[in-house]
C-alpha cells in the first residue's frame, strides 16, 4: 500500500501478502498513525477492494466497509477516471519512482514484519530529501504544514470485513 500527502510529498509504504479489504483498512490505519493525522480527501485508483462499481464520469459505488471508514474519519474519497493517466500523476508516477528509491538494489528480509519495519524507517529518511517545489525546505519541513491541515487521529476504525449471510434451518 502506498500513501503520499499531496502538498508535502511525505510518503508511507507498507507491504502485505495480497490485496484484500482487510488489508486496505489496515493500511489506512497504519498511514493514519504514521502521518499523525487524517487528510480531508484521498485520491484512489479504483481498486476492486474499494470501488465496487464505476459509473459515468466521477460516479462511483464504493465498498460499504471502505465507505464506512471514510465516513468515520470524515474523508472524501475521490476515484480517478479509468484510462485518464493525467489524473493519476499523484498515484501512478510515484509507484515506479518509489520502487527505484526503495528497492534498488533489491533488499532481502526474513519476514513481512521486518520488511515493513524497514519500509517505515526508509519513509522517515526520505522525508529528509529536498522538497521538489519548495527547494529551500525538506519534505519533513513542508510536512509540518500538512499536519496542521490534517485532522488529528481519532478513535481507530475497526477494520473487519462484514458479510450478510442467509442461514438455513
Amino acid at each position: 500500500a502506498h500513501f503520499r500527502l499531496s502538498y508535502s510529498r511525505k510518503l508511507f509504504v507498507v507491504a502485505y501478502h495480497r490485496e484484500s479489504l482487510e488489508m486496505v483498512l489496515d493500511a489506512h490505519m497504519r498511514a493514519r498513525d504514521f502521518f499523525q493525522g487524517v487528510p480531508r480527501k484521498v485520491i484512489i485508483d479504483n481498486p476492486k477492494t474499494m470501488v465496487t462499481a464505476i459509473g459515468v464520469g466521477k460516479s462511483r459505488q464504493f465498498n460499504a466497509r471502505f465507505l464506512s471508514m471514510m465516513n468515520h474519519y470524515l474523508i472524501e474519497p475521490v476515484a480517478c477516471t479509468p484510462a485518464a493517466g493525467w489524473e493519476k500523476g499523484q498515484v501512478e508516477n510515484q509507484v515506479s519512482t518509489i520502487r527505484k528509491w526503495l528497492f534498488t538494489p533489491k533488499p532481502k528480509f526474513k519476514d513481512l514484519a521486518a520488511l515493513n519495519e524497514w519500509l517505515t524507517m526508509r519513509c522517515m529518511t526520505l522525508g529528509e530529501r529536498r522538497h521538489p517545489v519548495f527547494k529551500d525546505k525538506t519534505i519533513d519541513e513542508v510536512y509540518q504544514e500538512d499536519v496542521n491541515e490534517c485532522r488529528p487521529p481519532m478513535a481507530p476504525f475497526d477494520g473487519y470485513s462484514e458479510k450478510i449471510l442467509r442461514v438455513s434451518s
Side-chain angles (χ1 to χ4, degrees):
H2 163 228
F3 298 85
R4 189 180 75 151
L5 296 176
S6 297
Y7 179 68
S8 66
R9 311 301 209 285
K10 183 74 172 175
L11 174 70
F12 177 68
V13 178
V14 61
Y16 295 87
H17 289 291
R18 64 185 177 285
E19 185 176 347
S20 66
L21 177 61
E22 295 84 358
M23 176 234 92
V24 167
L25 300 175
D26 181 68
H28 278 81
M29 292 303 95
R30 289 181 187 218
R32 175 200 75 142
D33 293 343
F34 180 81
F35 291 130
Q36 302 171 3
V38 179
R40 298 176 192 286
K41 183 188 296 189
V42 295
I43 301 170
I44 61 170
D45 189 12
N46 299 300
K48 292 179 182 172
T49 49
M50 293 181 246
V51 178
T52 56
I54 299 174
V56 178
K58 291 285 187 184
S59 173
R60 300 291 184 280
Q61 182 177 347
F62 291 101
N63 175 294
R65 197 75 187 132
F66 173 74
L67 194 55
S68 292
M69 181 184 64
M70 294 288 104
N71 291 337
H72 177 79
Y73 289 112
L74 303 174
I75 300 172
E76 176 189 356
V78 177
C80 295
T81 306
W86 60 89
E87 287 184 1
K88 301 175 188 176
Q90 296 284 0
V91 179
E92 301 255 336
N93 296 340
Q94 281 302 299
V95 173
S96 62
T97 302
I98 290 164
R99 281 184 183 153
K100 287 179 205 164
W101 289 347
L102 297 177
F103 299 109
T104 305
K106 193 174 182 180
K108 293 184 189 236
F109 302 94
K110 66 178 184 166
D111 58 19
L112 195 60
L115 168 60
N116 282 328
E117 186 177 315
W118 181 82
L119 285 171
T120 300
M121 183 266 313
R122 287 291 293 134
C123 289
M124 292 169 82
T125 59
L126 286 172
E128 297 167 3
R129 297 169 63 109
R130 286 276 152 216
H131 193 278
V133 176
F134 307 108
K135 299 192 184 299
D136 60 328
K137 296 181 181 180
T138 66
I139 289 171
D140 280 341
E141 289 169 339
V142 180
Y143 164 69
Q144 291 307 313
E145 298 172 38
D146 246 350
V147 169
N148 293 335
E149 293 300 316
C150 288
R151 291 184 188 89
M154 302 180 298
F157 180 78
D158 193 356
Y160 62 86
S161 180
E162 188 176 79
K163 294 181 184 177
I164 298 173
L165 302 172
R166 181 180 233 174
V167 178
S168 66
S169 58

